[in-house]
C-alpha cells in the first residue's frame, strides 16, 4: 500500500479546485514519493541547470525520484555531479523517439506514486516539487499545473553551482533579473478566472508539458501518452485525464523559469497548423476544430447505445437513422443485441426466423461505418466524452441530439435523464458525461449508490424530451428531409453571396466615352480595309 492509497476518497465537485484543502508550503509532512520525469534531447548545459535546481528542493530527498529520458541525443547525455541523490538516466529504446514516447518511457521507469513532468530547460524554484506534491495528498484525481516565466537567456551564462545556491536561498528569480521575456505564462483560461479555473468543460486545456503533475493511477487509468501525437500531446493527455475524472489545479506557487522562449511563442502559426489536425481527430470537445459538416473522426463526440434486444426492426431503424442523419455527425452507434446467435442459428424459413428483426437490423446498418454490433457495453465510453443510452423507437429531430448535449453543457450536469416515447411506451433516455462518471466512481465508497455520488460531484437533471425528440416514427424522416433541404438551400445562397463578394472585389472595366467609341470604330474599319486591299 502506498501513501496515497491510505487516504480516504475525497469528494470535490466539477472543477472546484478552490475547495480542495492544501497545506501551506513548509507546513506539512510529505509521505508520497514524487517521480520527476524529464524527457531530454540534447542540451546538456540546460539539463545540468535543471538537475542543480532539483538538488536544492525543499521536498525530502529520500522521497524524490528523478528519471531523465535521453531521447537519442548525440553525443549521449550524461548525469552531472550536481544532482538529486535518486537520479537515473534512461536511454530511449531503438526506433522510439519524440516527446510523448520519451515521457511514456520515463513514467514507465519511475517509482513514485506522484509523477511530475518537467521540461529539461527549466529552473524550478526551491519549493516547486513540494507545491505540486501537497495537492495530491488531498485526492488521487488532481492534475496540478505550475506557473512559468520565460527568460530570454542562454544556459551557457550560468554555472550549475550558482543556480543550486540561488535556488536553495529562495532567490531563483534573481538569476534572470531583467531577462524575463514575459512575467508569467498564465494560460488564458486561468487569467480569465482571476487565477481560478472553474469552467469544468474547458479545464483540461490548461494542461501543459513544461510543469504538470498527476498520480500514477490517474495517468494509467487514462491510457498514458499517445506516442502518435508529436506536438500537442500535452493537450491530448489533458483531455483524456479529464475523461478519467481529473480535477485541474493551477498553482501560482509552483514557480519555474523557462530558458528561452517557447516554441509556440516563437512560431505560433506553424505550431497551430501542425497541432490542429492531430487534436481535431482525438479531442472532440474542441468543437471549433471540427467545423466540416458530415465528417467522421477517430474519437466521436457522442456514443449512442441502442438496445436492439427484442426490439422491432422499424423502431431501431427510426432511432438509429435519426442519430446518423442529425446535425451532430461525429457520433458512433452501438447496437446492443445477441448477434452471435445469428451465426449459430440453423436452417430456417426466412419469414419464420425467430431472430428476423435482429437480422434485419444488422443488415440495415451493415455498411454504415459509424454503427457497430455489440453484445455488451463497457462501463466507460472514454475517450468519448458522452454516452447516450437510447431506447428503440425514440427518434431525434434533426438538431435534437445537439440540443440535448447543449443542455447538459449549459446546466453543467453529469447526467441528463430524458422522458421519451419509445416503441414499448414511455421510457427514459440517459445522457452520461464520461468525465462525471469517472469522478463519481473514484469517489464512491463500497456499497454506495453510484447515482447518488454522481449527483453529488456533477449533478443530475431530469427533463421531458419534447423539444428534442420527434412525435412519431415518420416525423424524423420528414424532419430530416426538410432540414437537409434547408441546409442545401442555405449553402447555395451562401455560395452565391460569396461569388458576388468576390466579383465585387475584382477591378471593374470603365465604359469608354462616346467619342472614344466612335474613334475606336473608325480604327477597326480602317484595319478591315487594309486587310481587304492585301
Amino acid at each position: 500500500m502506498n501513501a496515497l492509497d491510505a487516504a480516504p476518497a475525497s469528494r470535490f465537485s466539477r472543477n472546484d479546485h478552490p475547495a480542495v484543502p492544501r497545506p501551506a508550503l513548509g507546513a506539512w509532512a510529505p509521505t508520497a514519493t514524487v517521480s520527476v520525469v524529464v524527457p531530454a534531447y540534447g542540451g546538456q548545459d540546460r539539463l545540468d541547470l535543471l538537475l542543480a535546481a532539483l538538488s536544492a528542493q525543499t521536498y525530502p530527498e529520500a522521497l524524490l525520484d528523478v528519471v531523465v529520458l535521453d531521447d537519442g541525443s548525440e553525443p549521449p547525455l550524461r548525469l552531472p555531479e550536481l544532482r538529486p541523490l535518486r537520479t537515473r538516466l534512461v536511454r530511449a529504446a531503438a526506433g522510439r523517439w519524440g516527446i510523448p514516447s520519451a515521457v511514456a518511457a520515463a513514467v514507465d521507469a519511475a517509482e513514485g506514486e506522484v509523477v511530475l513532468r518537467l521540461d529539461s530547460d527549466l529552473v524550478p524554484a526551491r519549493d516547486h516539487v513540494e507545491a505540486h506534491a501537497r495537492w495530491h495528498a488531498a485526492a488521487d484525481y488532481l492534475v496540478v499545473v505550475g506557473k512559468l516565466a520565460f527568460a530570454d537567456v542562454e544556459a551557457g551564462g550560468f554555472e550549475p553551482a550558482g543556480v543550486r545556491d540561488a535556488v536553495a536561498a529562495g532567490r531563483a528569480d534573481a538569476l534572470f533579473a531583467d531577462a524575463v521575456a514575459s512575467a508569467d505564462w498564465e494560460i488564458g483560461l486561468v487569467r480569465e478566472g482571476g487565477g481560478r479555473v472553474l469552467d469544468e468543460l474547458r479545464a483540461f486545456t490548461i494542461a501543459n508539458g513544461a510543469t504538470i503533475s498527476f498520480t500514477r493511477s490517474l495517468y494509467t487509468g487514462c491510457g498514458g501518452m499517445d506516442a502518435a501525437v508529436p506536438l500537442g500531446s500535452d493537450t491530448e493527455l489533458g483531455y483524456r485525464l479529464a475523461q478519467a475524472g481529473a480535477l485541474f489545479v493551477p498553482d501560482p506557487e509552483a514557480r519555474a523559469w523557462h530558458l528561452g522562449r517557447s516554441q509556440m511563442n516563437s512560431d505560433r502559426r506553424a505550431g497551430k497548423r501542425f497541432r490542429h489536425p492531430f487534436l481535431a481527430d482525438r479531442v472532440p470537445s474542441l468543437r471549433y476544430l471540427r467545423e466540416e459538416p458530415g465528417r467522421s473522426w477517430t474519437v466521436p463526440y457522442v456514443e449512442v447505445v441502442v438496445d436492439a434486444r427484442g426490439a422491432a426492426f422499424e423502431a431501431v431503424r427510426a432511432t438509429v437513422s435519426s442519430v446518423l442523419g442529425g446535425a451532430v455527425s461525429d457520433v458512433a452507434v452501438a447496437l446492443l443485441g445477441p448477434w452471435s446467435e445469428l451465426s449459430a442459428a440453423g436452417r430456417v424459413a426466412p419469414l419464420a426466423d425467430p431472430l428476423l428483426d435482429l437480422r434485419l437490423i444488422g443488415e440495415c446498418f451493415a455498411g454504415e461505418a459509424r454503427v457497430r454490433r455489440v453484445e455488451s457495453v463497457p462501463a466507460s465510453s472514454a475517450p468519448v466524452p458522452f454516452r447516450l443510452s437510447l431506447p428503440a423507437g425514440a427518434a431525434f429531430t434533426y438538431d435534437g441530439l445537439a440540443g440535448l448535449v447543449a443542455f447538459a453543457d449549459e446546466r453543467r450536469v453529469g447526467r441528463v435523464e430524458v422522458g421519451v416515447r419509445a416503441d414499448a411506451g414511455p421510457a427514459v433516455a440517459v445522457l452520461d458525461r464520461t468525465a462525471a462518471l469517472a469522478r463519481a466512481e473514484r469517489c464512491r465508497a463500497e456499497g454506495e449508490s453510484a447515482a447518488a455520488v454522481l449527483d453529488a460531484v456533477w449533478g443530475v437533471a431530469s427533463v421531458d424530451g419534447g423539444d428534442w425528440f420527434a412525435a412519431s416514427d415518420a416525423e424524423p424522416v420528414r424532419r430530416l428531409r426538410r432540414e437537409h433541404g434547408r441546409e442545401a438551400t442555405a449553402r447555395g445562397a451562401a455560395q452565391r453571396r460569396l461569388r458576388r463578394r468576390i466579383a465585387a472585389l475584382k477591378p471593374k472595366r470603365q465604359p469608354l466615352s462616346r467619342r472614344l467609341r466612335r474613334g475606336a470604330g473608325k480604327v477597326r474599319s480602317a484595319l478591315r480595309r487594309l486587310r481587304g486591299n492585301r
Side-chain angles (χ1 to χ4, degrees):
M1 178 179 291
N2 63 46
L4 295 182
D5 290 333
S10 298
R11 207 168 282 180
F12 305 106
S13 64
R14 299 186 178 90
N15 206 69
D16 187 14
H17 63 84
V20 181
R22 69 186 186 283
L25 293 172
W28 65 298
T31 57
T33 298
V34 176
S35 286
V36 180
V37 298
V38 183
Y41 177 67
Q44 181 69 57
D45 53 350
R46 297 191 296 271
L47 177 63
D48 291 348
L49 300 184
L50 169 64
L51 294 177
L54 289 177
S55 71
Q57 292 294 301
T58 59
Y59 203 73
E61 188 174 44
L63 298 176
L64 186 59
D65 170 48
V66 180
V67 179
V68 178
L69 196 293
D70 184 353
D71 192 24
S73 305
E74 288 295 340
L77 295 173
R78 54 171 177 76
L79 291 181
E81 182 177 347
L82 195 54
R83 64 181 189 268
L85 181 64
R86 294 173 58 184
T87 302
R88 289 168 290 145
L89 180 64
V90 179
R91 311 286 182 188
R96 297 186 62 184
W97 56 274
I99 293 176
S101 178
V103 172
V107 174
D108 287 345
E111 299 173 351
E113 303 99 286
V114 175
V115 175
L116 168 58
R117 176 190 165 183
L118 294 180
D119 272 350
S120 62
D121 47 7
L122 295 187
V123 174
R126 67 175 180 174
D127 47 15
H128 189 87
V129 175
E130 181 188 351
H132 274 271
R134 59 181 173 162
W135 292 93
H136 299 293
D140 68 351
Y141 53 83
L142 304 184
V143 175
V144 183
V145 178
K147 188 172 183 179
L148 288 178
F150 286 90
D152 197 6
V153 296
E154 296 295 331
F158 301 95
E159 289 295 330
V163 168
R164 189 263 325 268
D165 293 343
V167 170
R171 294 185 294 101
D173 52 348
L175 290 169
F176 309 106
D178 298 330
V180 175
S182 63
D184 63 279
W185 185 68
E186 194 165 57
I187 303 152
L189 191 59
V190 180
R191 187 168 54 249
E192 291 170 13
R196 298 184 174 191
V197 180
L198 301 182
D199 184 350
E200 48 278 318
L201 304 185
R202 296 192 293 157
F204 75 89
T205 62
I206 75 169
N208 67 48
T211 165
I212 185 171
S213 65
F214 34 77
T215 62
R216 177 182 292 278
S217 65
L218 183 65
Y219 172 84
T220 304
C222 83
M225 297 295 297
D226 185 347
V229 184
L231 297 177
S233 58
D234 45 0
T235 300
E236 195 275 338
L237 176 63
Y239 166 75
R240 283 187 292 107
L241 288 169
Q243 304 317 305
L247 186 155
F248 292 82
V249 180
D251 189 346
E253 293 185 295
R255 299 172 302 147
W257 289 263
H258 187 284
L259 303 181
R261 295 176 179 270
S262 75
Q263 181 188 55
M264 283 296 287
N265 284 336
S266 60
D267 200 348
R268 182 174 295 272
R269 179 176 297 181
K272 285 186 175 181
R273 181 173 181 266
F274 189 97
R275 287 168 170 79
H276 281 183
F278 290 90
L279 295 180
D281 196 43
R282 293 166 172 82
V283 185
S285 295
L286 297 177
R287 302 306 291 164
Y288 67 93
L289 295 180
R290 293 188 174 184
E291 295 181 339
E292 303 95 328
R295 283 284 309 276
S296 295
W297 308 84
T298 297
V299 181
Y301 191 41
V302 183
E303 178 191 60
V304 181
V305 179
V306 179
D307 193 346
R309 295 173 297 187
F313 161 58
E314 290 79 8
V316 174
R317 180 178 61 182
T319 297
V320 176
S321 295
S322 73
V323 172
L324 298 177
V328 180
S329 62
D330 49 343
V331 295
V333 177
L335 288 174
L336 182 61
W339 301 105
S340 58
E341 294 182 13
L342 293 178
S343 56
R347 180 169 178 172
V348 63
L351 299 184
D353 187 352
L355 299 173
L356 177 59
D357 283 272
L358 187 68
R359 196 177 301 278
L360 295 178
I361 292 167
E363 187 62 27
C364 181
F365 298 104
E368 173 56 65
R370 291 178 292 173
V371 177
R372 72 185 193 281
R373 307 176 187 182
V374 300
E375 295 198 342
S376 62
V377 178
S380 173
S381 61
V384 182
F386 292 99
R387 171 184 281 169
L388 174 64
S389 299
L390 196 57
F396 279 110
T397 58
Y398 176 73
D399 53 2
L401 178 56
L404 175 55
V405 173
F407 176 85
D409 282 348
E410 290 164 4
R411 297 294 183 91
R412 297 298 199 265
V413 292
R415 170 175 289 173
V416 181
E417 298 171 343
V418 189
V420 298
R421 189 191 67 79
D423 188 49
V428 176
V430 179
L431 178 70
D432 281 324
R433 189 184 300 276
T434 303
L437 290 183
R439 174 79 62 79
E441 186 58 30
R442 283 185 169 272
C443 297
R444 186 170 68 90
E446 185 177 354
E448 191 174 12
S449 165
V453 180
L454 176 63
D455 193 19
V457 299
W458 263 88
V460 176
S462 298
V463 295
D464 180 76
D467 292 339
W468 305 314
F469 288 87
S472 68
D473 291 342
E475 172 61 19
V477 177
R478 290 197 296 265
R479 178 69 180 271
L480 288 172
R481 287 172 179 167
R482 286 199 304 270
E483 294 293 347
H484 280 310
R486 291 172 187 167
E487 191 177 337
T489 300
R491 274 200 306 268
Q495 290 171 352
R496 289 191 293 273
R497 287 195 299 271
L498 181 60
R499 283 195 292 268
R500 288 197 296 269
R501 289 175 183 173
I502 293 173
L505 294 174
K506 293 180 179 179
K508 296 181 179 179
R509 296 175 60 185
Q510 297 296 326
L512 296 174
S513 66
R514 186 174 181 180
R515 179 179 297 177
L516 287 175
R517 287 199 302 272
R518 189 182 301 118
K522 291 180 179 179
V523 170
R524 285 194 294 269
S525 298
L527 287 172
R528 283 195 293 270
R529 286 195 298 271
L530 286 172
R531 294 191 191 101
N533 294 332
R534 288 180 180 175

